[in-house]
Amino acid sequence: MRGGARIWWVVLVLTLVVGLGGPVLLRERAAARHPVRAVDLASGRAALGALVVGPAASADDYERDRFGTAWADVDGNGCSTREDVLRRDLTLPVVDVDACTVLSGTLDDPYTGARTPFRRGADSAAVQIDHVVALQNAWISGARDWSPALRLEFANDPANLLAVDGPTNQDKGASDAAAWLPPNTGFACRYALQQIRVKAAYALRVTSEERSALGEALDTCVTV
């Protein structure tokens, strides 16, 4: 191989290596913005391995009201669960004189990595409250056999709730981890850990595909 051809061959190989490695590097950099403790990762892996694996039940009989009144005040603090989560997750939330209603704030959206302004009114849906383990997914994973009281508790459990970008939440719908992970790939680890904790706490099943997806998401974790 002549000198000129050899140089172009080296350049081509380097270009391919950089191109193939680029997405991995970007994913690792993104994950570094959402590190987790090594002990939490180990606990998550153990919990994932202990989850019951089985097929999802039919969702034909699922209805939202199976989980009670939306955003009920289950903790008795006088505020709806939605307002509690908005106060918790928004930066500098402005609260009305009722000490409950959030009027404005800014969301550092974990699902997209973007900053989303929130203002009460016609554009309130720009920020929504997501059930990390969707209610329909919970239903087909074991919640159909729960008491109404337990389903109400689940629907309002802060450990399963996040304020997120509205359109992205709509895109997720009732998907499990095998069908949907946050477009902000750096948050996939924390998202997977949260799903695993919730499913473990409520003894919900996972499908084999879901377990594989959760395990792959844990492989992206950066620990501190």
Side-chain angles (χ1 to χ4, degrees), residues 51-59 61-62 67 133-146 151 154 174-177 195 198-200 202-208 210 214:
L51 291 178
V52 174
V53 179
S58 170
D61 58 348
Y62 166 76
F67 288 82
V133 174
L135 297 184
Q136 181 175 308
N137 180 259
W139 179 260
I140 65 177
S141 302
R144 68 190 310 154
D145 299 322
W146 294 351
R151 289 198 289 266
F154 179 84
S175 299
D176 65 15
Q195 281 221 347
V198 171
K199 289 219 161 186
Y202 286 89
L204 292 169
R205 297 187 302 276
V206 290
T207 65
S208 58
E210 186 181 358
L214 289 168

Side-chain angles (χ1 to χ4, degrees), residues 7-49:
I7 292 172
W8 281 110
W9 177 251
V10 171
V11 170
L12 176 61
V13 171
L14 289 175
T15 300
L16 287 172
V17 169
V18 172
L20 293 173
V24 175
L25 179 60
L26 291 175
R27 189 163 57 244
E28 290 176 348
R29 286 179 176 174
R33 300 189 186 101
H34 300 281
V36 299
R37 298 189 307 163
V39 64
D40 292 332
L41 177 56
S43 176
R45 289 191 187 281
L48 176 61

Side-chain angles (χ1 to χ4, degrees), residues 170-212:
Q170 294 299 309
D171 179 63
K172 172 190 171 181
S175 299
D176 65 15
W180 190 93
L181 287 171
N184 176 17
T185 57
F187 191 70
C189 166
R190 286 197 178 184
Y191 179 81
L193 280 176
Q194 191 164 355
Q195 281 221 347
I196 292 166
R197 287 174 184 141
V198 171
K199 289 219 161 186
Y202 286 89
L204 292 169
R205 297 187 302 276
V206 290
T207 65
S208 58
E209 297 82 4
E210 186 181 358
R211 181 174 65 175
S212 294

